[in-house]
Amino acid sequence: MDEAQATSSKTMRSYWRWTKKDFFPETSFETMSSYKTALSQTCPRLTDRLLARSSSTNELVTLQKVSENPMQKCLTWWDLIWLSFGSVVGSGIFVITGQEAHDDAGPAIVLSYAISGLSALLSVFCYTEFAAEIPVAGGSFSYLRIELGDFIAFIAAGNILLEALVGAAGLGRSWSSYFASMIKSDPDFFRIRVNSLREGFNLLDPIAVVVLLVANGIAMSGTKRTSWLNWIASLLSGMVIVFVIIFGFIHAKTSNLEPFFPYGVEGVFRAAAVVYWSYTGFDMVANMAEETKKPSRDIPIGLVGSMSGITVVYCLMALVLTMMVKYTEIDVNAAYSVVFEQIGMKWAKYLVSICALKGMTTSLLVGSLGQARYTTQIARAHMIPPIFALVHPKTGTPVNATLLVTIISAIIAFFSSLDVLSSVLSFSTLFIFMLIAVALLVRRCYVKEVTPRNDLIKFLMCLFIIIGSSIGVSALWNSNERGWIGYTVAGLLWFLGTLGMAFLSKQRVPKVWGVPLVPWLPSLSVVMNLFLVGSLGFKAFLRFIICSAVMIVYYLLFGLHATYDVAHQNEEVSKFEEGT
């Protein structure tokens, strides 16, 4: 009777509640005295949680109870394909292609897109196996928690969430600039200059804030509704892309492809590192696994199918551009618009402009869905206050988490200029893709208390060789070393490390859908992602180190103690249930 009353009381609680208990329900934060006691135990608690690994059951069952209401399972493989298309195919293809073809790769830009597409597809494979077997809202955060432990998952998730917020703010500012340029040739037309503020933060952008509020408001109203809007907008965008490809080939000249490698192989790889960002966004779609009707079928079809198609589309669009006009004559600011104007189709530039604007809009829509669900799972684990894990009973969406990411990204977008935001490179995206590949290798080769110690040591040695040789290749390339000896040694070590891992006994077989050619494909994903990480420059490394240091401070002061309390509370509950 008492249990029924407690359950009834819990279900009748208002969604909108803001007490201290809702933000900090853990015992470490009950009083100042208990918090001081918790801080005094930081070292032993850190030792306990540093390599503590979650479980599939914990992520799929236990943590979802924190949300109080379930998310609605309303997405199919068709929805995932178009969500991925809407998230990935933004304005980048129209902006970056001309710039990189002109400055770095020439006609070989098509190979740059193929290389980056292969790297993205390898990451998609790794994500897909996890998402099909562990269909939770947290995506990579949950996968890393299960295989690599709490601490690594928190640092990686914190960085990628930060970049997602900054990326959303950047998209909002870009949308405002693009829209202003269409109305009047001045990207700052709608912005308010405040001279008393520091340069880079003195152009206030209310349009960017409105765009973010609208996009996130739609995302809060319902997942299926957002999916339908994205599908309609992406279908129109797809029609414009088909038009560009068909009419582009009609006016193409093969003579424009000569010379094919004007900047050499180095230029192809430099461009590949830049155009890779045209493929990012699929990880946000992987976060929708909890709302997918049949994850084992829909996720592989949705993610692998969409990324394969997007790679082909990107390569065709890059090829069309370099066949329509000589790479030296490409306009780096508006490549496709100008080239159609040159062949007498001035009206086509408006189609391209609308398509680019649509791309930014759908990227914001899908991004707001993914960011909120990522935040939800982090809150479920109590690494941030669990009030942000609550799912609204009517909409079936994490409204609190969406409001959190909306407010933060809107504040950033309101004050920060595009050049400030663009300096924050997506180091964490590639880093987390690499970690997911490592986590997949761990998942296949190591099971706690099952894998023999000797096999574990062999696995760790092979993994160390794979990562070390991958870093070596990246370091050689970025030191401008082009001799064959260093690359041969590093490549041979990578091959031997992967071969050694291939001979180890596999401790776990995928139950639903598995990545083929393990460990070769995940190992190749590791080397390709680390190679691209190395091309980002010193500022990206410095930003990652600074942000990670700030997150470690937060973890030691709050996140560590909250997760410690929850983990040991769950252990006590499990023991009690076993005893009864």
Side-chain angles (χ1 to χ4, degrees):
M1 183 69 179
D2 292 339
E3 186 178 345
Q5 288 178 344
T7 304
S8 175
S9 173
K10 186 177 181 180
T11 57
M12 290 176 64
R13 292 180 70 191
S14 170
Y15 183 83
W16 306 107
R17 52 185 193 264
W18 307 95
T19 67
K20 175 181 174 292
K21 196 71 174 176
D22 295 311
F23 280 88
F24 300 103
E26 302 84 10
T27 55
S28 293
F29 305 105
E30 285 182 350
T31 63
M32 183 56 70
S33 176
S34 62
Y35 180 58
K36 289 180 180 178
T37 302
L39 287 178
S40 67
Q41 298 172 356
T42 295
C43 287
R45 288 188 173 196
L46 182 61
T47 303
D48 178 84
R49 302 307 303 161
L50 193 61
L51 296 177
R53 301 164 76 199
S54 184
S55 65
S56 299
T57 303
N58 185 49
E59 299 294 319
L60 287 168
V61 181
T62 307
L63 293 188
Q64 288 189 19
K65 294 176 182 177
V66 179
S67 294
E68 296 185 3
N69 300 290
M71 294 185 187
Q72 297 175 359
K73 291 187 175 293
C74 56
L75 301 177
T76 65
W77 61 268
W78 179 260
D79 295 298
L80 295 179
I81 284 178
W82 286 104
L83 284 170
S84 185
F85 185 89
S87 177
V88 175
V89 183
S91 60
I93 181 67
F94 296 100
V95 178
I96 296 176
T97 308
Q99 172 189 311
E100 291 306 306
H102 183 277
D103 296 341
D104 285 322
I109 185 69
V110 65
L111 297 182
S112 300
Y113 271 106
I115 292 168
S116 293
L118 173 62
S119 178
L121 193 58
L122 291 173
S123 296
V124 166
F125 273 123
C126 298
Y127 265 86
T128 301
E129 178 171 327
F130 277 112
E133 294 204 354
I134 314 168
V136 293
S140 55
F141 170 72
S142 293
Y143 314 150
L144 294 177
R145 258 193 109 207
I146 290 171
E147 300 302 337
L148 301 183
D150 266 17
F151 183 72
I152 291 177
F154 173 76
I155 296 300
N159 272 280
I160 203 168
L161 186 58
L162 174 64
E163 288 193 346
L165 291 170
V166 173
L171 271 176
R173 297 281 296 204
S174 295
W175 200 102
S176 174
S177 296
Y178 216 100
F179 185 61
S181 298
M182 289 175 65
I183 294 176
K184 187 177 181 180
S185 299
D186 178 12
D188 296 328
F189 180 61
F190 292 113
R191 291 176 181 141
I192 304 167
R193 180 176 291 276
V194 180
N195 293 324
S196 59
L197 295 177
R198 181 182 170 187
E199 187 67 29
F201 301 91
N202 60 344
L203 284 175
L204 308 185
D205 197 335
I207 296 296
V209 173
V210 170
V211 169
L212 286 166
L213 291 176
V214 171
N216 285 276
I218 293 171
M220 279 189 287
S221 68
T223 303
K224 192 65 177 179
R225 181 182 291 110
T226 307
S227 177
W228 270 104
L229 288 173
N230 170 77
W231 177 75
I232 294 169
S234 297
L235 188 62
L236 294 173
S237 177
M239 292 169 65
V240 174
I241 289 173
V242 170
F243 162 81
V244 170
I245 293 172
I246 293 175
F247 279 84
F249 276 123
I250 290 174
H251 295 87
K253 296 178 182 178
T254 55
S255 59
N256 287 330
L257 294 177
E258 299 174 357
F260 193 70
F261 293 99
Y263 301 102
V265 177
E266 291 90 345
V268 174
F269 282 107
R270 276 199 308 271
V274 176
V275 303
Y276 186 86
W277 313 123
S278 298
Y279 288 98
T280 56
F282 68 84
D283 52 320
M284 291 293 110
V285 181
N287 293 342
M288 309 303 296
E290 191 172 319
E291 292 158 276
T292 304
K293 291 181 178 179
K294 295 182 179 179
S296 59
R297 180 199 66 183
D298 295 340
I299 291 174
I301 296 174
L303 287 182
V304 178
S306 62
M307 191 54 65
S308 301
I310 289 168
T311 301
V312 173
V313 167
Y314 279 0
C315 289
L316 288 174
M317 289 191 70
L319 182 62
V320 157
L321 179 64
T322 52
M323 289 182 73
M324 289 179 73
V325 63
K326 196 75 174 176
Y327 74 92
T328 53
E329 299 172 9
I330 293 175
D331 187 293
V332 296
N333 297 312
Y336 289 92
S337 298
V338 172
V339 77
F340 275 104
E341 192 171 348
Q342 289 174 350
I343 62 174
M345 300 173 67
K346 293 184 179 181
W347 54 271
K349 69 179 183 180
Y350 296 106
L351 280 179
V352 173
S353 297
I354 292 171
C355 188
L357 204 59
K358 171 261 126 194
M360 291 183 240
T361 305
T362 54
S363 292
L364 279 171
L365 274 176
V366 182
S368 62
L369 287 175
Q371 293 159 26
R373 279 136 190 86
Y374 210 80
T375 305
T376 298
Q377 195 70 8
I378 296 174
R380 285 172 173 174
H382 287 243
M383 287 189 176
I384 61 175
I387 192 170
F388 297 111
L390 298 179
V391 172
H392 198 279
K394 291 184 179 179
T395 64
T397 59
V399 172
N400 285 349
T402 308
L403 284 173
L404 177 66
V405 298
T406 303
I407 292 169
I408 295 174
S409 58
I411 291 172
I412 296 171
F414 187 59
F415 290 100
S416 305
S417 64
L418 275 176
D419 57 344
V420 172
L421 295 175
S422 63
S423 66
V424 182
L425 298 171
S426 296
F427 181 105
S428 298
T429 303
L430 284 169
F431 181 66
I432 210 166
F433 288 172
M434 183 274 294
L435 286 178
I436 288 294
V438 171
L440 182 63
L441 293 173
V442 172
R443 184 171 181 80
R444 291 290 192 93
C445 297
Y446 173 69
V447 176
K448 188 177 181 180
E449 298 178 356
V450 174
T451 305
R453 181 177 175 80
N454 288 339
D455 284 357
L456 174 60
I457 293 173
K458 292 175 184 176
F459 168 74
L460 291 175
M461 288 177 62
C462 291
L463 185 62
F464 177 80
I465 292 171
I466 290 170
I467 295 175
S469 59
S470 300
I471 293 173
V473 170
S474 181
L476 284 170
W477 183 264
N478 288 285
S479 66
N480 294 318
E481 173 62 46
R482 297 295 180 263
W484 62 272
I485 297 178
Y487 292 101
T488 302
V489 171
L492 183 61
L493 285 173
W494 174 86
F495 176 81
L496 292 175
T498 308
L499 183 65
M501 194 174 290
F503 282 111
L504 294 175
S505 58
K506 300 298 179 287
Q507 301 295 327
R508 185 185 279 112
V509 177
K511 300 175 184 177
V512 181
W513 189 92
V515 176
L517 300 176
V518 173
W520 296 101
L521 290 188
S523 181
L524 185 59
S525 180
V526 170
V527 69
M528 292 190 76
N529 283 306
L530 284 177
F531 180 83
L532 292 173
V533 162
S535 67
L536 293 178
F538 175 74
K539 284 186 178 180
F541 281 86
L542 184 62
R543 186 211 64 82
F544 179 79
I545 292 171
I546 292 173
C547 291
S548 296
V550 172
M551 289 168 192
I552 288 173
V553 172
Y554 167 84
Y555 183 76
L556 293 176
L557 293 177
F558 297 100
L560 168 65
H561 307 292
T563 53
Y564 179 88
D565 288 345
V566 172
H568 286 271
Q569 179 183 341
N570 289 341
E571 285 178 6
E572 291 175 4
V573 171
S574 299
K575 290 178 181 178
F576 176 77
E577 290 176 350
E578 289 175 4
T580 56

